[in-house]
Amino acid sequence: MIQIDSTLRPSDLASKLNRFWQLSAEKINLIENNYDASKGSPVFTSQGKYMARGWTEWTQGFLYGSMILQYDATGEKAFLEMGRRKTVESMAPHISHMGVHDHGFNNVSTYGNLLRLIKEGKIAFNEWEKDFYSLALKVSGAIQASRWTTIKGGGFIYSFNGPHSLFVDTLRSCRSLILSHCLGHVLQSEGDHPISLLERAVEHMKATANYSIFYGEGRDAYDIWGRTAHESIFNVNDGNFRCPNAQQGYSGFSTWTRGLAWAMCGFAEEIEWFDSVKEADINGLNIKKDVLPFMIRAARAVCDFYIDNCPVDGVPYWDSGAPNLYKMGDYLNKPADPFNDFEPVDSSAAPIAAQGLLRLGRHLQKNGEKETGNRYCQAGLTVLNTIFDEPYLSTGQTHQGLLLHSVYHRPNGWDYIPSGSKIPNGESGMWGDYHAREVAIYIQRVINNEPYHTFFNIS
């Protein structure tokens, strides 16, 4: 269980953040100067060098989005120009990509961040540039929403595995539907029939909350409050749920911790959007009655599971049911050990989870639950205090990664195992590096009393 430091304040992380952004700039430049883009998008490192290996180009937006976040944090215009140019040159295929569930990763991280910076006054206003980013986000949200499976009582955005497959991490792609909706867009089907992007986003969130999250209510023998399944399988002929499954986790009956983190962050940031909406009813949805209750319940559950199933310093092992964890003894009551002989940690889950903890905590503080909100916020700060320092912060001058000890796909054996080690360690993933930067922006703005960072600050 995380040993929550109740004395930490955001300002206590200021010096670590300064060092973090210095190292971040070095890593971005290392990749830009040394990576061969003709091989595909960089996904994760092997012996400190980024390499391409993925099912889709799902990390390209994280690379260019990191450049944009670097500018956001430091004001260094070279990074803005780099990220903006790369977005315009390379990201167009992602806007209309019908074969993936990753629009909320690729397009919100690039076009979304650029539009946000224009709206915040950090990029000089240009009408055509604003309209360009807005159009990209409109189309992206609609294309993502078209990847749809109808089930009993709703539906979901299906994964690249096919119409039967609901991934827990797709929750974060609901951001693309929300942004498109905010920009006044709809998905049109046969006969010019309009389909509400917001309604599809809510239906996907409900499916995730109902099938990907467990609440200790006896769904199966492994039903524990806050446990998540990476994948939920449905019979597409009759719309019935069939079973939990895992692609990157150990099994459908254990919790892949990065999937857990996606749920924590996704629910928390989408709760913030619904909480910001002025209207009591949108498209027939009563927000306080129909939406926020199930989302807050799901967010609490996954955040509680993370706190209870992490080592004391807040960095998780790659799966809560990894088969050799028992060989490590009482591993939850000591700091995570990325150099052990049995199971790897996955540091990339930590910044994603920390953002979820901080956002949910703030929401609860604002809405009358100060004690519970404080607990989540302090847990998030405890995680950041760990990962913004060694052995997780990458200080090697030639290592291209920023956050060390990330794991990509343990079951497939894709992660590099150093000589003399029995498990993967010492490497980075583009998603982990990006989300470390994203949560660093979040906490830096809190420290500096700057505008609160949200994905939807575009209007």
Side-chain angles (χ1 to χ4, degrees), residues 103-170:
H103 282 247
F105 290 160
N106 270 316
N107 297 319
V108 178
S109 302
T110 48
Y111 299 103
N113 274 326
L114 288 166
L115 182 60
R116 175 180 61 80
L117 291 176
I118 288 177
K119 296 293 186 176
E120 291 176 348
K122 288 198 166 188
I123 296 178
F125 181 81
N126 178 289
E127 190 76 30
W128 279 103
E129 186 176 5
K130 173 187 74 76
D131 290 346
F132 176 76
Y133 301 146
S134 296
L135 181 59
L137 291 166
K138 287 179 180 180
V139 175
S140 174
I143 292 292
Q144 187 69 109
S146 70
R147 194 174 175 81
W148 194 251
T149 292
T150 299
I151 58 175
K152 291 187 174 179
F156 61 86
I157 300 163
Y158 60 87
S159 83
F160 57 38
N161 278 346
H164 63 287
S165 170
L166 165 63
F167 273 9
V168 68
D169 33 316
T170 309

